[in-house]
């Protein structure tokens, strides 16, 4: 495809555009119930923060240093995870994220892997924090 034929706004779904430009979930929490940080081979990094109440994910926020696809994927993970039980959140997959966005370029699937991977790390951390709440205070970021 020639460059002049590509129209970003026409090329992407409404869901993709909404998730790519949403900013209200970008927040660094000082003491979340679960924290996950992952850096991809490309150098993009996502930090994911989750708060849990009664085994359900009450809120998710993130900090991202990466491309627009990474931002879209991180926002999608937030949307898919909030309100779910911890068990259900473990079932969120890269494919779920790509399906939701509809127009995530196939060569950017690793952005979805990075977002889902950081969620998994936050879920694992929340499980550890529940067993030993004091560890939260000494968490390395
Ligand atoms: Fe690497 Fe998006 S370009 S995660």
């Amino acid at each position: 495809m020639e460059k002049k034929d590509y129209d970003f706004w026409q090329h992407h779904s409404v869901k993709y555009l909404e998730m790519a430009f949403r900013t209200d979930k970008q927040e660094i929490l000082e003491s979340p119930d679960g924290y996950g940080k992952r850096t991809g081979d490309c150098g993009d990094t996502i930090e994911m923060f989750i708060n849990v109440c009664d085994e359900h994910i009450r809120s998710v926020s993130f900090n991202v240093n990466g491309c627009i696809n990474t931002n879209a994927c991180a926002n999608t993970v937030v949307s898919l995870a909030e309100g779910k039980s911890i068990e259900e959140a473990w079932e969120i997959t890269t494919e779920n994220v790509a399906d939701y966005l509809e127009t995530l370029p196939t060569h950017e699937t690793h952005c979805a892997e990075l977002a889902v991977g950081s969620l998994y790390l936050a879920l694992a951390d929340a499980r550890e924090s529940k067993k030993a709440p004091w560890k939260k205070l000494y968490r390395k970021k």
Side-chain angles (χ1 to χ4, degrees), residues 17 20 23 37 44 75 86 96 101 103 119 122 130:
L17 294 173
T23 57
K37 179 179 180 181
D44 285 10
N75 272 314
I86 297 282
N96 295 150
L101 290 172
T103 57
L119 173 70
K130 194 175 171 200

Side-chain angles (χ1 to χ4, degrees), residues 67-79:
C67 69
I68 194 166
N69 293 306
T70 309
N71 199 51
C73 292
N75 272 314
T76 303
V77 164
V78 170
S79 291

